[in-house]
Amino acid sequence: MIPRGKIPEAVVNKSVFLKTIFLCVFTIAIFAIFANETNAWDNGVALTPPMGWNSWNKFGCNVNEDMIKSMADAMVSTGMKDAGYQYVVIDDCWQVSRDENGFIVADPERFHSGIKALADYVHSKGLKFGIYSDAGTKTCAGRPGSQGHEYQDAIQYARWGVDYLKYDWCSTSTRNAQEAYTTMRDALASTGRPIVFSMCEWGTSKPWQWAQGVGNLWRTTGDINDHWEGKKKWPDGGCCSLGMLDIVDMQVGLEGAAGPGHWNDPDMLEVGNGGMTTVEYRSHFSLWAMLAAPLIAGNDLRSMSPEIKAILTNKEVIAINQDALGSQGRRVRKDGDKEIWVKQLKDGSRAVILFNRGASETEISVNWTDLGYPEHLSASVRDLWAAKDLGRMNGKYSAKVASHETVVLRVTP
Ligand code: GLA
């Protein structure tokens, strides 16, 4: 028999052993949580998907300072700035060479006042300024890339007042994407200026699996082309630019990687460039809003039709995209050409898309259980494109959706 007050050594040893195990597990758990939190690169910008304008989709290499200035003017005068668009980004072809000290030189004919003066002009409009470079020896249009000049370029950008860098992936040979983009991230960070880092390696190395701590956004696919669906060969015969819907399909399953400060980028908008109908552009914009995608317009803002302006500046649809929770919408139902997409919002409501890819009108029904709500919940429904409250609905809502059209709803319990 064990005398009272005396605990055998085996029991003491067991309890010490258990306590030690508990402490180890606890420490590892705390460390894991902390490590996970610091995994995302926190440069304090792009807490919601970046909004702006970029020269590439409409103008390609045909860029110059007067055009960029007039685009900044138009961003203000059209109401785009009021709707939330901020960054004016010059894509490829602003640069021509490097000087004897290795500094990048802007095209003196097209940018005769220099990049700093242009950045100052954009800033004077209350907007932010962005620029483009490439992780390889040459950009995709054959201009000088940044490889080997990362820190020098980052310092130059910061001196000029650059707020956003799109960083492409041409002429990179056997370079490792993670190494290349991390080098540029560190170069940008070393300047002390908060610069949105937009990675453009076309999804080749699956950046959604590793880039949360490296970039603020990363392209998930090859280049968008201004058409509804289907791959198209490049003019040089190479394969391929993608239709808007090809890109949408490639976003399914990537949702978990997106969040404040780090976004999946399904490429820039083609809204207003002429290759799709107004209904199709409305669907393009609705889907990008739902995907928590960066909203980077790519049309000529100086000559937008009222219909295109109404799409790009719809504040209720933009609010879905810019919701502070930063959750990327997901496709919850696909029944042939009928699709339902859902995005959770910070106030507990849901953005819902009823999307008809087909050639004729059809009825699409969403059940509240598709949204993660109880089956018989009563919830109010608002149609965002119609700007109309539809009243309270029990358990579900159905709408007739025209060919290629998207109905965007906000469902609030
Ligand atoms: C690549 C990018 C495009 C554009 C061009 C510029 O194709 O994916 O978005 O920046 O280069 O040359």
Side-chain angles (χ1 to χ4, degrees), residues 54 56-57 91-93 132 139-141 166 168 170 200 202 219 222-223 234 267-268:
N54 172 298
W56 185 255
N57 282 355
D91 207 282
D92 209 346
C93 302
Y132 162 102
T139 71
C140 295
K166 173 174 168 183
D168 216 336
C170 278
C200 179
W202 322 311
R219 280 273 296 277
D223 287 6
W234 293 107
D267 207 357
M268 303 172 292

Side-chain angles (χ1 to χ4, degrees), residues 48-53 75 80-81 83-89 164 285 293-297 312-313 318-319 321-322:
T48 59
M51 293 177 67
W53 176 89
M75 202 159 202
M80 292 279 286
K81 180 182 174 221
Y85 295 85
Q86 238 189 332
Y87 295 96
V88 176
V89 183
Y164 184 113
F285 194 73
L295 296 180
I296 308 293
L312 288 171
T313 59
I318 290 172
N321 174 266
Q322 294 290 301

